[in-house]
Amino acid sequence: MKIGERTVLVCDCAHSIALDGTALGKACGEGGTPTVHTQLCRAQLDRFEAAVATGQPLLVACTQEAPLFAEIAAEVAPDISLTFTNIRERAGWSDEGAQALPKIAALLAEAALPIPPTGALTLTSQGTCLVYGNDERAIEAGRELAKRLDVTVLLTSAKDIPPPPVMDAAIFRGRIRSARGWVGAFEIVVDDYAPALPSSRGALGFEPVRQGASARCDLILDLTGGTPLFPDHKRRDGYLRPDPNSPAQVAKALLDIADLVGEFEKPRFVDFKADLCAHSRSRKTGCTRCLDVCPTGAITPNGDHVAIDPHVCAGCGSCAAVCPTGAATYALPSAATVYERLRTLLATYRKAGGAAPALLIHDPRHGDALVGMMARHGRGLPARVLPFALNEVTQVGFDLFALALAYGCTHVRLLTGPENDGETAGLASQIGLAEAAFSGLGYGSGRVAVIDAADPDAVADELWALPADAVEAGMFLPMGPKRTVTMLALRHLHKAAPAPVEVLPLPPGAPFGRVSVNVEGCTLCLSCVGACPTGALLDNADKPMLSFAQDACVQCGLCKTTCPEKVISLVPEIDFRDQARGAAVVKEEEPFCCVSCGKPFATKSSIEKIVTTLAGKHWMFATPEAANRIRMCEDCRVRDQFERGNEPLALGQRPVPRTTDDDLREREEAERNAQPAAVRQKLM
């Protein structure tokens, strides 16, 4: 059987799965009838080898024996495209395994989709390792690592620590004041820094301390048991922090860190387009959603937008989930790929006869393990619960929730685990937005929720208890950027809603809404238009006018903070009326014409406000003539200033040059004035 370009090999795992090849072929479409193997990984392994020998892309419906299949494929056809999917634990091994055919068809169709490659960056570690600890346990760990790495031991305390018989690792004392970086590029600043004295006898002695010493290293093993050096430290590559009181954790950390030498590829988890970012304009802060939810500190302000450091980014995807403009998008895989996977999964399930699907979003680590335990030791997943694996549960947002419901899902459940501790703030905000939107349209509460449990029985109980109330499924394609897809889904949900409303109120902080302008106080200065990063606020080149396009507004608040009149407020909502799809005029005026030449140059309200504020109250506009210049255009204002004879740049009468004759004449007059009056009379 073929699905798309891939030949599909299915196996009922020694008859432990109820598989009807003819029915499965019909459920999967026109790809033919598959051969249902019984022991593809053992007695029928030659059939797999024959399929590999064709060189055609393969999809094998088994993950348990994936290493064996991959090894054989590497020998027979090294360049073959080989993928795997699990239909056993996720569908066949269930109390409803006999009814799981639609689910199996959907899982196969989803797995057959091509997944585009993602970008990566290269990290290099030379093996320079810092062991940071409090006592001799740090020295022991450092000496063990010194066999494979270039090790320095930094001790926070210098009391009663016996010196090692051989200094095979450099020992210092000090306390790390600050640390930053990633594997291969850590930078630390150390206070109370001092090297150990080689003459130490009963206990380690140290040279005089100094403050603010800086150092670089490739790896850090933190055995202090205190406050971590980095936020979300479990995801900081190259930084290992086991419990120093747990020998098992310390031993595992020693093994792991010793292998971190060489070059490593790290995925670029997030694609960022700075021109779409609504963080800031003109030094006024707008959207800070990604900054608020990033657990690692990988996102920092950078002028009008933010900067995402791919070396520090741990790939939780919270920034992409909450970004209202699509400036930050998850790339492992891209949102378009996730949308298409979801559409294919649900469309195939529905065409195969499945009804009332529920979506279980999980990661491949914690989620796969729990699903496997439920299948092996419990009831397994219900036949209508479709597992949907993503790199991180926290990468999903309101767009995917709306799309899932619009494609017919009754409920969405997100399976989180211990690795998600401290990373769910963004996910919680998106679930809150979904709760407000779906309940506001009459779909009821609880459509989207988190299952945070490590007990497989508890997870199974919640999934089996989900009500099977049908939701009308849409058939639209998820085309366009994130916001466009979200609105497509919401318009379908509004059309099929049990209780549709024209205007749906949303909680504060929602990325949908309108701006409310007090038109009486608005002077049409259009500062808001220049500040709006999405083009939701528009002007008119031909006349003073302010328009608003609600579909483009992300409620960043830049217009509100920029407005000099403080007449703008934000109203979070979704307006489903047609009038909200285009730009609507908020305020318009006739232009104010110059009282001298008649040229339009400003708005009437702006000029009137300036006249009211300045005329007679500012020394430059104290006279009626000066105040009238406010009503003139820039050219006439300058002309009037000079024509009225009160030229501010005038220098007075040009001075006459002095000559020698002037000096002689003044001297004679002075001598004559100095003579007695009778003499002056005779001289005259």
Side-chain angles (χ1 to χ4, degrees), residues 239-260:
Y239 176 69
L240 283 72
R241 185 178 172 273
D243 181 357
N245 297 315
S246 171
Q249 289 190 27
V250 174
K252 183 179 183 303
L254 293 177
L255 290 173
D256 291 342
I257 203 169
D259 289 334
L260 296 179

Side-chain angles (χ1 to χ4, degrees), residues 394-417:
T394 47
Q395 76 184 71
V396 301
F398 180 56
D399 55 324
L400 195 68
F401 303 150
L403 199 61
L405 205 66
Y407 282 156
C409 279
T410 65
H411 297 82
V412 177
R413 291 296 179 264
L414 300 107
L415 190 56
T416 59

Side-chain angles (χ1 to χ4, degrees), residues 291-650:
L291 292 165
D292 296 337
V293 301
C294 179
T296 63
I299 306 177
T300 54
N302 185 27
D304 283 350
H305 51 83
V306 299
I308 302 178
D309 191 335
H311 300 89
V312 178
C313 175
C316 71
S318 297
C319 57
V322 302
C323 181
T325 64
T329 56
Y330 206 72
L332 196 67
S334 66
T337 301
V338 174
Y339 296 155
E340 186 57 28
R341 281 181 54 199
L342 181 64
R343 176 178 172 273
T344 300
L345 181 75
L346 293 170
T348 305
Y349 175 81
R350 186 170 61 252
K351 290 178 182 177
L359 194 69
L360 176 64
I361 300 176
H362 64 88
D363 62 34
R365 303 171 299 277
H366 175 69
D368 279 351
L370 276 183
V371 170
M373 285 188 284
M374 284 188 283
R376 292 175 179 274
H377 308 292
R379 292 181 288 176
L381 292 178
R384 70 182 193 89
V385 173
L386 306 180
F388 193 67
L390 293 173
N391 188 59
E392 295 291 346
V393 174
T394 47
Q395 76 184 71
V396 301
F398 180 56
D399 55 324
L400 195 68
F401 303 150
L403 199 61
L405 205 66
Y407 282 156
C409 279
T410 65
H411 297 82
V412 177
R413 291 296 179 264
L414 300 107
L415 190 56
T416 59
E419 290 186 359
N420 301 120
D421 289 345
E423 299 177 351
T424 57
L427 182 61
S429 70
Q430 297 300 291
I431 293 176
L433 178 59
E435 178 73 11
F438 300 157
S439 60
L441 291 174
Y443 288 98
S445 61
R447 294 288 178 174
V448 182
V450 167
I451 302 178
D452 186 9
D455 181 1
D457 291 334
V459 176
D461 289 343
E462 185 162 346
L463 294 176
W464 283 86
L466 289 176
D469 47 344
V471 175
E472 183 178 334
M475 298 296 293
F476 58 90
L477 293 173
M479 300 180 64
K482 169 182 174 179
R483 191 173 182 87
T484 301
V485 172
T486 305
M487 290 308 300
L488 283 172
L490 288 173
R491 295 192 195 286
H492 168 78
L493 292 174
H494 175 261
K495 182 179 179 181
V501 293
E502 290 187 340
V503 179
L504 177 65
L506 295 176
F512 301 92
R514 61 181 173 88
V515 295
S516 176
V517 181
N518 179 4
V519 293
E520 294 182 357
C522 176
T523 61
L524 285 178
C525 68
L526 302 180
S527 298
C528 55
V529 175
C532 181
T534 64
L537 288 164
L538 307 166
D539 60 358
N540 188 324
D542 297 327
K543 64 182 301 184
M545 178 186 295
L546 175 65
S547 301
F548 175 67
Q550 183 161 339
D551 268 5
C553 180
V554 297
Q555 300 281 284
C556 65
L558 279 168
C559 57
K560 178 181 177 181
T561 57
T562 301
C563 178
E565 314 301 340
K566 304 303 177 186
V567 296
I568 297 179
S569 59
L570 304 179
V571 183
E573 65 179 25
I574 298 176
D575 193 335
F576 292 103
R577 294 173 294 185
D578 291 339
Q579 66 191 45
R581 301 192 185 190
V585 176
V586 176
K587 182 177 181 178
E588 62 179 324
E589 291 183 3
E590 291 300 322
F592 186 88
C593 297
C594 174
V595 295
S596 179
C597 69
K599 181 180 74 173
F601 73 99
T603 63
K604 183 178 180 181
S605 56
S606 297
I607 296 301
E608 289 178 349
K609 183 165 185 177
I610 295 174
V611 170
T612 303
T613 304
L614 298 179
K617 301 176 183 178
H618 192 280
W619 65 269
M620 290 186 65
F621 307 101
T623 65
E625 295 81 4
N628 197 47
R629 295 191 187 110
I630 301 175
R631 302 182 178 90
M632 299 180 185
C633 66
E634 60 273 17
D635 295 333
C636 294
R637 192 177 302 126
V638 174
R639 188 179 303 111
D640 183 77
Q641 181 79 13
F642 283 92
E643 287 178 351
R644 289 183 178 274
N646 187 24
E647 298 90 343
L649 302 180

Side-chain angles (χ1 to χ4, degrees), residues 179 181-183 186 220-244 249 260 266 294-297 311-314 418-423:
W182 52 88
V183 58
F186 285 111
I220 299 178
L221 177 62
D222 188 348
L223 297 176
T224 60
T227 303
L229 299 178
F230 302 97
D232 200 18
H233 62 277
K234 294 180 181 179
R235 292 181 176 268
R236 184 65 60 121
D237 296 326
Y239 176 69
L240 283 72
R241 185 178 172 273
D243 181 357
Q249 289 190 27
L260 296 179
K266 177 180 179 179
C294 179
T296 63
H311 300 89
V312 178
C313 175
E419 290 186 359
N420 301 120
D421 289 345
E423 299 177 351

Side-chain angles (χ1 to χ4, degrees), residues 55-136:
Q56 298 298 314
L58 285 182
L59 169 61
V60 182
C62 175
T63 54
Q64 176 179 286
E65 300 297 329
L68 172 63
F69 293 132
E71 180 181 351
I72 294 174
E75 295 176 356
V76 177
D79 297 329
I80 192 172
S81 175
L82 183 62
T83 58
F84 304 91
T85 190
N86 183 355
I87 64 171
R88 189 178 67 179
E89 281 86 353
R90 299 201 293 168
W93 283 2
S94 166
D95 286 1
E96 292 183 344
Q99 294 86 45
L101 183 67
K103 183 202 283 193
I104 292 175
L107 294 175
L108 292 174
E110 179 207 355
L113 288 174
I115 305 297
T118 57
L121 59 146
T122 301
L123 305 177
T124 303
S125 169
Q126 302 294 336
T128 304
C129 178
L130 174 70
V131 178
Y132 186 42
N134 303 322
D135 48 35
E136 56 268 21

